[in-house]
Amino acid sequence: MDFFSNLLHLVLLCISFSLIFLIYKQKSTRAKFPPGKKGWPVIVETLEFGMAGKRGTPEMFINNRMSKYSQDLFKTSLFGENMAVFCGASGNRFLFSNENKHVISWLPPFLLKVTLPESLENISPEDSIKIRRAVVEFLMPETLQYFIPIMDSMAKKHLETDWSPYKQVKVLPLSIKYTFALACRLFMSITDPNHVTTFADPFALIVDGLTSVPINIPGTNFNRAIKAGKVIHQELLEVIQQRKKDLLSENNATVARDFITHTLLALDENGRSVMNDLLISSNIVGLLLAGHDTTSSAITFVLKYLADFPHVYNEVLKEQMEIARSKGPNDLLNWDDIKKMKYSWNVAREAMRLIPPSSGTFREAITDFTYAGFTIPKGWKAYWTPHSTHKNPKYFPNPEKFDPSRFESNGPAPYTFVPFGGGPRICPGREYARLEILVFMHNAVTRFKWEKAISDEKITCKLSPILVDGFPIYLKPHNHKD
């Protein structure tokens, strides 16, 4: 009796497992993944993604797959990861609105290896939150408005020193020099040009390494980028340590109130510092990287479009000269002046619509979820990009036309113009970038008119889009009599 009872129990157990397997298999079969291809071998899609950027047409990688697979969502494989690319305004809205519910921020490991110290490569979500909170607090408009006079004085000095003595200049390297020096001044209170260079030179190696094949062997750009990252962090740690000593000194009232000081003085509810030195250093690297590439790219293309469209330049000049004439000879720009630069900002936004300074960012699915009828499994990576909307005629009629009037009145529909992203993870430096671009526009157009030295200069993409020859221009100084 016991034998048959045990046999029956075993049979029932096997049937139960079989049913569970069939149900699971049926459920898996029913899961409808996004259309698309991962490529074979797996690096093919990553290579095509990179080549589209190198050709200066990163939007083609997105547009071709949207046309072939879906206007809402498609799958690919980037950096060895299953990747769901969310498209259109609805895709942007979904990702921006589901942070920490369906997705969290994600960065490719090779990027972390270059920009973070080894001990922080597997940074915790709690530390990520601390880093972002510190940046957001420091870059709030209430704080940034006090930086406008500094931005203005540095822009004036930069143009006087590096532009005015010459009849021809290259805009891109000079805009990088200016934006990086400004970032060093505002975030670390570093003004000595030689000290700025100790950061700028390694950052150039980092940019080259992040846009190369990530093979870490001696002699490769990626290996040099990793070494450069270590040099920068070591230099930053020395600056942070010195700032700590300054804060403990009797003359601490004179210590610069920059980003380092801001984070060192930030305490939690128990009176302890919210961030250690390595986290502060990592924060600054992110800020400097943005200052090195994205803002300088935006400034370069704004000046390009002003050269392309003289009537737009004239309208910007008219707006900026009204502001200049309202000020005394030694007065610097202030917050009220920035608020008057409405047309200038429309011009800058239209430049960023056509040539976004960033191609998008990544997320990671933290749970299975469904979007547009397709299943995104937990662990898959997600990607949003301005290239699915910025030149999409559905959102921007005649999308290739440069037309600042698109931003008048209510402007573009929500989630269509996204150079800074959106939602909780929107770029915390967007207002800083706005001020930096507008202050530079003011000083450039009130001092010069310019013409392109190369009529049809090609575009390529590194971390941000650039003009391959650095955008050389002929300068025509104003006579200041009108």
Side-chain angles (χ1 to χ4, degrees):
M1 187 66 178
D2 289 341
F3 170 77
F4 288 106
S5 177
N6 290 335
L7 181 61
L8 179 61
H9 180 74
L10 182 61
V11 169
L12 291 173
L13 192 62
C14 289
I15 292 172
S16 298
F17 278 121
S18 298
L19 288 172
I20 291 172
F21 174 76
L22 288 172
I23 291 171
Y24 175 78
K25 185 176 180 180
Q26 187 178 21
K27 183 179 179 181
S28 299
T29 304
R30 283 201 307 266
K32 186 180 179 183
F33 299 123
K37 65 175 183 178
K38 298 179 182 178
W40 182 258
V42 293
I43 63 170
V44 166
E45 286 286 276
T46 303
L47 289 175
E48 290 188 13
F49 180 76
M51 287 304 297
K54 189 173 182 179
R55 290 190 294 268
T57 56
E59 68 273 12
M60 295 305 296
F61 180 89
I62 304 298
N63 294 343
N64 290 345
R65 285 155 181 78
M66 287 176 66
S67 298
K68 186 175 182 179
Y69 301 118
S70 169
Q71 294 293 307
D72 300 312
L73 183 72
F74 65 84
K75 73 180 175 186
T76 183
S77 175
L78 297 178
F79 316 118
E81 301 281 352
N82 291 319
M83 190 76 62
V85 181
F86 286 71
C87 306
S90 296
N92 292 339
R93 180 175 62 246
F94 182 86
L95 279 187
F96 297 162
S97 304
N98 283 281
E99 190 74 27
N100 298 320
K101 179 181 179 182
H102 294 316
V103 296
I104 57 173
S105 180
W106 179 82
L107 290 172
F110 72 86
L111 193 151
L112 297 176
K113 191 169 187 65
V114 170
T115 58
L116 290 181
E118 290 183 13
S119 59
L120 291 181
E121 285 181 21
N122 297 313
I123 190 169
S124 69
E126 293 79 13
D127 283 339
S128 294
I129 292 172
K130 289 180 182 179
I131 288 176
R132 181 171 178 80
R133 183 182 296 130
V135 175
V136 169
E137 290 175 353
F138 184 73
L139 296 180
M140 291 178 68
E142 301 80 46
T143 303
L144 288 176
Q145 61 181 305
Y146 297 107
F147 293 161
I148 296 171
I150 299 174
M151 291 180 173
D152 190 24
S153 64
M154 287 190 65
K156 284 177 167 56
K157 182 179 180 181
H158 169 73
L159 293 173
E160 183 66 32
T161 303
D162 294 325
W163 292 50
S164 289
Y166 309 101
K167 293 182 179 180
Q168 180 178 335
V169 296
K170 284 191 174 184
V171 174
L172 178 63
L174 289 178
S175 64
I176 290 174
K177 180 180 180 180
Y178 165 70
T179 57
F180 194 80
L182 182 62
C184 287
R185 166 63 181 85
L186 296 180
F187 303 144
M188 300 182 290
S189 297
I190 292 176
T191 56
D192 179 7
N194 293 325
H195 200 178
V196 171
T197 301
T198 63
F199 289 100
D201 290 347
F203 258 94
L205 295 176
I206 284 180
V207 172
D208 288 340
L210 290 177
T211 53
S212 67
V213 178
I215 298 176
N216 186 18
I217 58 175
T220 62
N221 283 350
F222 188 68
N223 179 261
R224 284 191 285 268
I226 292 174
K227 292 179 179 178
K230 292 177 180 178
V231 169
I232 289 170
H233 280 292
Q234 183 58 46
E235 185 71 27
L236 283 171
L237 290 174
E238 292 177 9
V239 173
I240 293 166
Q241 286 296 321
Q242 183 58 51
R243 187 61 52 80
K244 284 183 173 180
K245 294 178 182 177
D246 294 341
L247 287 170
L248 292 173
S249 70
E250 294 181 359
N251 297 322
N252 61 15
T254 63
V255 174
R257 290 307 190 254
D258 53 24
F259 181 77
I260 295 177
T261 304
H262 168 78
T263 49
L264 286 173
L265 294 177
L267 305 177
D268 63 17
E269 61 275 8
N270 297 315
R272 295 173 299 192
S273 177
V274 297
M275 281 198 287
N276 60 38
D277 293 358
L278 283 176
L279 287 176
I280 296 173
S281 173
S282 300
N283 243 325
I284 296 172
V285 168
L287 292 168
L288 292 178
L289 196 57
H292 190 280
D293 269 72
T294 54
T295 313
S296 59
S297 172
I299 287 174
T300 300
F301 282 101
V302 167
L303 268 59
K304 173 195 176 297
Y305 285 115
L306 289 177
D308 287 337
F309 301 100
H311 68 285
V312 174
Y313 171 91
N314 289 336
E315 288 299 313
V316 171
L317 177 61
K318 179 182 176 182
E319 181 177 78
Q320 296 297 346
M321 285 306 298
E322 287 180 2
I323 295 169
R325 291 189 184 107
S326 70
K327 308 186 74 64
N330 298 317
D331 290 344
L332 295 171
L333 293 174
N334 56 44
W335 186 253
D336 289 334
D337 297 323
I338 296 294
K339 290 190 290 186
K340 297 174 184 175
M341 301 181 187
K342 292 182 172 59
Y343 182 76
S344 298
W345 183 232
N346 288 347
V347 170
R349 285 192 285 182
E350 179 68 345
M352 289 189 287
R353 181 188 70 83
L354 287 167
I355 311 290
S358 169
S359 288
T361 57
F362 301 96
R363 303 287 192 271
E364 180 178 6
I366 54 177
T367 183
D368 293 351
F369 64 88
T370 301
Y371 175 74
F374 301 109
T375 298
I376 311 299
K378 178 181 179 180
W380 271 39
K381 306 306 182 287
Y383 180 59
W384 73 267
T385 171
H387 296 306
S388 76
T389 58
H390 279 202
K391 291 185 181 180
N392 191 328
K394 177 180 177 181
Y395 310 114
F396 297 97
N398 198 0
E400 295 293 339
K401 180 182 179 182
F402 187 85
D403 182 8
S405 69
R406 300 178 195 275
F407 294 91
E408 294 175 358
S409 187
N410 294 328
Y415 303 103
T416 60
F417 177 68
V418 288
F420 302 109
R425 298 292 305 186
I426 192 171
C427 174
R430 64 194 181 281
E431 185 65 16
Y432 173 81
R434 184 176 81 95
L435 299 179
E436 191 171 14
I437 292 167
L438 288 173
V439 168
F440 195 88
M441 286 177 71
H442 171 85
N443 282 281
V445 300
T446 55
R447 186 181 288 256
F448 305 109
K449 195 167 186 176
W450 53 88
E451 292 180 356
K452 296 191 295 184
I454 301 174
S455 60
D456 191 23
E457 191 173 352
K458 302 299 183 185
I459 298 173
T460 189
C461 292
K462 290 193 172 183
L463 291 184
S464 293
I466 61 171
L467 290 157
V468 295
D469 293 304
F471 191 41
I473 58 173
Y474 298 113
L475 293 174
K476 297 182 176 182
H478 294 308
N479 60 23
H480 299 294
K481 292 180 181 179
D482 47 5

